Amino acid sequence: MPSESQPPADGRQPDENRLPVADRLDDDHFPAYTMGRAAELVGATPAFLRALGEARLITPVRSGGGHRRYSRHQLRLAARARELVDQGTPVDAACRIISLEERLERAERANEELRRGDGDAVRGHR
C-alpha cells in the first residue's frame, strides 16, 4: 500500500527526526488527528477508519497511550476511500484503487523529473 502513508515500523518518530511544533503543523505526514476528529473530518465512522487500517491503506501512529493518530495525508486517502465506498465500491477494492492511484501519481512525478533532466532526484527517491 502507499508507503507515504505508513509511519516508521514502531509507529513513532525517531527523536532526531522530531521537528519543533511550528514546523510539524505544516507536515502532511504528522499524526495530528485523533480517531474521533479524523472520522468527523472525513465524514465517516471510527469503524470505517479501522477498516481502512485492516485493509492496510493507512496505518495510524499510536500515541503513548495507544490511541490512533492520523495525518492529513491519511485523511485525504480516507476521504477518497469514502467517496469510492459511497459509490458502491467494496472497501478492499477502494483501498486497492487508491493504492494504484498513488503509485501512478508517483510514477508521473518521476517521469516529469526525468523529462526535465532531473534524473538524480528521481534515483534518490527510490
Side-chain angles (χ1 to χ4, degrees), residues 58-126:
I58 56 177
T59 303
V61 172
R62 296 288 183 144
S63 70
H67 300 284
R68 291 173 177 90
R69 297 286 188 165
Y70 297 89
S71 69
R72 285 186 298 196
H73 177 75
Q74 290 172 326
L75 294 184
R76 279 194 298 278
L77 296 176
R80 175 70 176 127
R82 183 171 178 270
E83 286 176 10
L84 291 169
V85 169
D86 287 350
Q87 294 170 5
T89 306
V91 170
D92 287 342
C95 291
R96 183 69 179 143
I97 290 167
I98 294 164
S99 176
L100 292 170
E101 288 173 345
E102 290 267 300
R103 287 178 60 190
L104 177 60
E105 186 178 317
R106 284 193 301 271
E108 287 173 340
R109 277 195 310 263
N111 283 339
E112 183 58 33
E113 289 174 5
L114 286 171
R115 272 190 227 106
R116 287 192 315 241
D118 197 9
D120 290 338
V122 173
R123 284 186 287 279
H125 285 66
R126 286 188 185 176

Side-chain angles (χ1 to χ4, degrees), residues 15-68:
D15 287 338
E16 65 270 9
N17 289 340
R18 289 197 178 268
L19 299 170
V21 173
D23 291 339
R24 289 184 284 178
L25 294 175
D26 292 332
D27 182 356
D28 246 10
H29 298 283
F30 179 68
Y33 300 95
T34 63
M35 176 177 274
R37 183 68 176 136
E40 181 183 324
L41 289 169
V42 171
T45 63
F48 180 76
L49 293 178
R50 284 191 295 274
L52 297 181
E54 289 169 12
R56 295 190 296 170
L57 176 65
I58 56 177
T59 303
V61 172
R62 296 288 183 144
S63 70
H67 300 284
R68 291 173 177 90

